[in-house]
């Protein structure tokens, strides 16, 4: 892997303790299939999504150290030279309903970031128990969006930089709402997808408050640039495409990812991002029975070099069966060194 990258993300075998003991540059170790309430160290982030492929792996984030760890209210963090990872797990039985818990998680996140040297969230992952439970505006995902919007107050007409995000459902019996993030000293460059309506402009039919995220951010640091891709599904405009067709949904999601990468290239001019061995992809699948079909489709349509993991997770709209997110690195082209 390219050692110049600000964030080195990879899938690795072994135990979380092994990875945390082994190196001074470990910012986070994500362990799948475990409640976020089981965290043993600020760098250890259990995620309640079952891995569908094998062997069992961890997602390891490394960044320039030394890494300082600590906690702030109910948030735990690991802070390196350039980047901070932070995570919050709120026990829904203790904090109350989803709207309240989401608002609390984002209040804590924002008060932490305000006093951090790495004030800008670049990407936020939201893992929401029973995301599709409840109907109409009572659906837990919509309640989650409501709480987030109450915490992240944006004045009408204001367009602050928004982090990229993923919002995925964990089992309904999981106790904790989990929010984790990557933050840096400067905001990312927001990228929207020309094929999709921006999420913050979704029409009312999708809920009382729009989701607040950008389709991707590009983090630029010491000459290396990386693309943080939001959870990307089979949505064109604002509508779900290919209802009940999981393979076609994955293909559409990949078209959306490529469209985002093209848009990033257009904005950056001299760099472009590729799905290659310096990146990672996470593939979320609602129904584990779809795993083989999704895997075969991705193997056919995405380069074999990019590491990927398959997780069982519910998607924020009942009509969506799969979603992809990822981190990919950008490469310079052309010969204007000043534009680096
Ligand atoms: C979508 O495009 C799919 O609420 O944070 C993707 C990424 C989705 C992030 C979020 C939701 C979120 O609308 C859902």
């Amino acid at each position: 892997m390219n050692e110049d990258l600000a964030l080195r993300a990879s899938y690795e075998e072994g135990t979380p303790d092994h990875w945390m003991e082994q190196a001074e540059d470990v910012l986070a170790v994500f362990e799948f299939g475990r409640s976020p309430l089981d965290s043993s160290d600020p760098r250890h982030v259990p995620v309640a999504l079952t891995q569908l492929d094998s062997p069992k792996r961890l997602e390891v984030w490394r960044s320039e150290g030394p890494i300082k760890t600590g906690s702030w209210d109910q948030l735990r963090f690991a802070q390196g030279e350039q980047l901070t990872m932070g995570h919050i797990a709120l026990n829904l039985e203790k904090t109350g309903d989803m709207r309240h818990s989401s608002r609390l998680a984002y209040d804590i996140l924002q008060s932490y970031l305000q006093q951090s040297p790495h004030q800008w969230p670049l990407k936020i992952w939201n893992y929401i128990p029973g995301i599709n439970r409840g109907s109409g505006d009572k659906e837990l995902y919509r309640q989650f969006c409501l709480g987030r919007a109450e915490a992240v107050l944006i004045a009408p007409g204001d367009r602050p930089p928004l982090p990229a995000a993923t919002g995925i459902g964990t089992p309904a019996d999981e106790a904790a709402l989990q929010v984790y993030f990557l933050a840096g000293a400067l905001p990312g460059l927001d990228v929207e997808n020309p094929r999709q309506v921006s999420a913050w402009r979704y029409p009312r039919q999708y809920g009382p408050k729009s989701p607040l995220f950008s389709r991707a951010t590009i983090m630029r640091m010491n000459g290396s640039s990386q693309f943080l891709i939001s959870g990307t599904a089979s949505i064109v405009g604002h509508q779900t495409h290919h209802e009940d067709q999981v393979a076609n949904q994955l293909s559409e999601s990949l078209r959306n990812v490529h469209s985002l990468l093209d848009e990033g290239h257009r904005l950056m001019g001299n760099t472009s991002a590729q799905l290659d061995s310096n990146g990672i992809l996470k593939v979320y699948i609602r129904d584990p029975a779809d795993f083989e079909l999704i895997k075969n489709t991705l193997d056919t349509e995405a380069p074999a070099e990019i590491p990927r993991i398959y997780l069982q997770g519910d998607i924020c709209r009942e009509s969506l069966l799969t979603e992809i997110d990822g981190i990919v690195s950008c490469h310079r082209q052309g010969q204007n060194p000043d534009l680096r």
Side-chain angles (χ1 to χ4, degrees):
M1 193 191 308
N2 183 350
E3 294 295 317
D4 294 335
L5 295 174
L7 178 68
R8 282 163 282 133
S10 61
Y11 293 115
E12 308 284 354
E13 293 180 46
T15 65
D17 282 342
H18 164 83
W19 281 96
M20 289 185 294
E21 282 158 20
Q22 208 218 248
E24 307 97 65
D25 64 351
V26 171
L27 198 61
V29 177
F30 300 91
E31 182 184 15
F32 302 106
R34 253 184 103 170
S35 172
L37 296 170
D38 295 343
S39 170
S40 64
D41 178 295
R43 295 167 295 174
H44 176 221
V45 188
V47 170
L49 299 170
T50 302
Q51 186 187 332
L52 293 170
D53 57 323
S54 52
K56 192 173 160 61
R57 285 166 298 157
L58 305 163
E59 185 174 319
V60 179
W61 286 4
R62 280 171 280 191
S63 190
E64 196 186 327
I67 310 276
K68 192 176 103 183
T69 63
S71 58
W72 169 277
D73 200 330
Q74 297 187 72
L75 180 151
R76 307 174 99 192
F77 65 86
Q79 182 196 106
E81 276 295 300
Q82 306 180 86
L83 292 169
T84 292
M85 181 282 303
H87 59 114
I88 307 171
L90 296 180
N91 189 330
L92 292 160
E93 281 147 33
K94 295 186 186 147
T95 46
D97 63 17
M98 185 61 75
R99 176 180 178 173
H100 181 80
S101 301
S102 161
R103 180 179 180 160
L104 180 62
Y106 275 81
D107 279 341
I108 297 170
L109 184 152
Q110 293 182 124
S111 69
Y112 169 74
L113 289 174
Q114 255 171 33
Q115 54 78 54
S116 164
H118 301 148
Q119 297 206 11
W120 291 96
L122 299 164
K123 165 122 197 209
I124 305 181
W125 285 259
N126 305 289
Y127 291 134
I128 303 163
I131 193 168
N132 301 129
R133 292 282 174 102
S135 60
D137 289 345
K138 293 281 169 228
E139 187 188 33
L140 293 183
Y141 175 62
R142 297 185 180 194
Q143 291 293 308
F144 168 84
C145 288
L146 202 48
R148 173 170 55 186
E150 285 165 349
V152 184
L153 283 174
I154 298 177
D158 205 13
R159 259 199 63 181
L162 286 173
T166 290
I168 286 289
T170 53
D173 63 359
E174 165 54 46
L177 168 66
Q178 179 175 50
V179 177
Y180 70 80
F181 62 86
L182 178 72
L186 294 171
L189 174 67
D190 288 13
V191 185
E192 290 300 312
N193 188 342
R195 303 182 81 231
Q196 297 184 304
V197 171
S198 292
W200 73 83
R201 292 193 176 126
Y202 278 168
R204 175 65 180 86
Q205 68 195 90
Y206 299 105
K209 282 289 178 184
S210 293
L212 294 172
F213 66 94
S214 63
R215 295 293 179 189
T217 58
I218 297 173
M219 100 175 141
R220 292 157 294 180
M221 231 159 251
N222 299 345
S224 92
S225 298
Q226 286 170 277
F227 225 105
L228 302 166
I229 304 169
S230 286
T232 303
S234 181
I235 295 175
V236 181
H238 57 76
Q239 281 161 330
T240 300
H241 279 223
H242 316 291
E243 211 150 324
D244 303 319
Q245 300 168 60
V246 71
N248 288 337
Q249 286 200 7
L250 187 84
S251 303
E252 198 68 55
S253 304
L254 279 170
R255 273 194 286 283
N256 278 328
V257 167
H258 283 113
S259 162
L260 264 174
L261 299 183
D262 288 348
E263 178 66 3
H265 178 49
R266 193 184 70 79
L267 292 171
M268 296 279 285
N270 64 335
T271 64
S272 66
Q274 273 103 40
L275 305 182
D276 66 18
S277 60
N278 289 313
I280 55 167
L281 287 181
K282 285 232 260 306
V283 184
Y284 304 94
I285 304 174
R286 182 186 291 277
D287 182 351
D290 292 333
F291 166 63
E292 286 294 332
L293 180 55
I294 288 285
K295 182 183 183 306
N296 292 335
T297 307
L298 192 76
D299 287 347
T300 308
E301 296 180 9
E305 309 89 84
I306 184 160
R308 73 241 4 218
I309 200 163
Y310 298 87
L311 302 171
Q312 179 179 1
D314 295 337
I315 324 299
C316 63
R317 288 185 196 174
E318 205 96 58
S319 56
L320 292 169
L321 304 172
T322 187
E323 186 168 302
I324 316 172
D325 74 13
I327 301 172
V328 303
S329 77
C330 302
H331 302 276
R332 279 187 69 215
Q333 330 167 299
Q335 54 306 52
N336 189 343
D338 297 333
L339 289 176
R340 186 168 177 144

